[in-house]
Amino acid sequence: MKPFETVGIIGRLGSELVLHSVSVLQQLLLSRQLKVLVDDEISQHLDHSAMQVASRKQIGEQCDLVVVIGGDGSLLGVARAMARHDIPILGINRGKLGFLTDIHPDEIEEKVGEVLDGHYQVEQRFLLAVNVYRGGDLIASGSALNDVVINSGRSARMINFDLYMGDAYVYSQDSDGLIVSTPTGSTAYALSGGGPIMHPGLDAIAIVPMFPHTLSARPTVVNGNTEIKVVIGDCHPYISCDGQVHLNTAPGDEVKISKKSEQLTLLHPQDHDFYAACRDKLGWSERLSD
């Protein structure tokens, strides 16, 4: 990967801690004589004298690295917007878990400096595309880095649907919903639904039923190139993409979910370890005290 010359900064709004980290990062980048573009949504809260303000579209078109400061949710939104531009993304954690935004704020100068010097790990993460068809016509679409969730929405009630893998019928189900997760999303909502933890390097998709009205339904893992089709029954469920983009459906709609052609290039510090992150974030290896 070529040296970074133009770096975009995108931060989560509404946090003084994020603004502080943006300032620290900005000074580091400017000290290295790099061109810095700051997202226009957060720039209004910063000193304008030492930065160039840009829209996310401009950041996608002009930058060769984007640094996201916030939580994993912040990075999810940026990933969906930037995947089409094929720009690597680096995350600084000002959220909670930090599976995607894995640089600690106190280590910005050290860890980001290492990345700028060319010392980093590169991961390719695929996204899911979801398309909703009604009577054969495409009526809505979205994309997700973590998961596509079909659920009843605000009301606590079951929905019903038929599930297909490609052309193969799998089952009909009454449940609270269905989670279709990438390996990236396997440590997110799918995990709380009893789904498997998948290594980010896997080319696989997990299908996790949400409170199914049967004792035999279990999570299923399929090849990443599988097209998943859900035919909506007598209900009006919602579709959620990463918990941030929402689509409506009606009885008889066909929901098709498949891997997108664009991928996210995610950068990590050189010492990043997925299993160490699991131990830290999920409490693996903790022992009960006496």
Side-chain angles (χ1 to χ4, degrees):
M1 193 174 293
K2 66 179 183 179
F4 305 118
E5 298 177 353
T6 305
V7 181
I9 302 176
I10 299 177
R12 176 167 54 85
L13 294 174
S15 170
E16 290 296 326
L17 295 176
V18 168
L19 295 178
H20 173 72
S21 293
V22 169
S23 297
V24 172
L25 175 63
Q26 184 181 16
Q27 292 305 312
L28 171 65
L29 298 175
L30 293 175
S31 71
R32 288 173 170 254
Q33 309 302 312
L34 299 176
K35 182 178 179 181
V36 181
L37 302 184
V38 179
D39 180 30
D40 55 8
E41 292 187 5
I42 198 172
S43 65
Q44 56 188 308
H45 304 284
L46 299 167
D47 178 9
H48 287 67
S49 61
M51 65 182 178
Q52 182 173 336
V53 179
S55 66
R56 293 198 178 185
K57 182 176 183 294
Q58 292 171 320
I59 288 176
E61 293 172 344
Q62 299 180 34
C63 293
D64 42 35
L65 173 66
V66 173
V67 183
V68 179
I69 302 176
D72 286 349
S74 301
L75 193 142
L76 290 174
V78 174
R80 292 195 305 273
M82 295 296 164
R84 69 176 68 96
H85 298 290
D86 192 26
I87 301 172
I89 294 178
L90 180 69
I92 296 173
N93 186 24
R94 276 297 187 183
K96 295 180 180 178
L97 283 178
F99 270 102
L100 300 174
T101 51
D102 52 7
I103 293 180
H104 193 276
D106 293 339
E107 298 179 320
I108 289 177
E109 294 180 339
E110 174 188 356
K111 296 299 183 182
V112 177
E114 291 176 0
V115 171
L116 296 175
D117 290 334
H119 306 300
Y120 51 80
Q121 295 184 36
V122 181
E123 282 188 342
Q124 299 294 330
R125 305 285 186 96
F126 71 83
L127 291 82
L128 294 174
V130 54
N131 295 299
V132 182
Y133 295 88
R134 183 171 298 163
D137 296 326
L138 178 65
I139 62 166
S141 61
S143 62
L145 176 61
N146 263 359
D147 46 45
V148 174
V149 180
I150 303 173
N151 63 87
S152 60
R154 295 182 179 180
S155 60
R157 55 171 295 180
M158 286 194 296
I159 62 174
N160 54 85
F161 55 85
D162 297 333
L163 177 67
Y164 295 80
M165 302 293 186
D167 295 327
Y169 169 71
V170 181
Y171 54 62
S172 298
Q173 186 176 95
D174 293 309
S175 66
D176 280 9
L178 192 71
I179 303 170
V180 181
S181 171
T182 66
T184 300
S186 70
T187 52
Y189 193 25
L191 180 63
S192 66
I197 293 177
M198 298 189 289
H199 188 277
L202 285 176
D203 185 9
I205 298 172
I207 297 92
V208 183
M210 299 168 60
F211 297 103
H213 200 214
T214 174
L215 297 177
S216 58
R218 293 292 184 269
T220 306
V221 178
V222 298
N223 185 283
N225 293 318
T226 304
E227 181 185 72
I228 298 157
K229 183 174 73 174
V230 178
V231 180
I232 305 301
D234 185 20
C235 52
H236 295 77
Y238 294 89
I239 298 174
S240 172
C241 302
D242 289 339
Q244 297 175 345
V245 177
H246 306 283
L247 312 174
N248 296 323
T249 69
D253 286 356
E254 290 189 355
V255 181
K256 295 184 178 180
I257 304 167
S258 59
K259 183 167 61 175
K260 293 193 69 170
S261 57
E262 304 100 345
Q263 289 192 327
L264 167 68
T265 300
L266 188 63
L267 302 188
H268 297 288
Q270 192 70 54
D271 60 356
H272 172 73
D273 183 337
F274 172 71
Y275 299 109
C278 289
R279 290 193 300 271
D280 180 38
K281 312 298 182 182
L282 302 178
W284 287 6
S285 301
E286 288 187 357
R287 298 179 184 274
L288 295 176
S289 58
D290 294 334

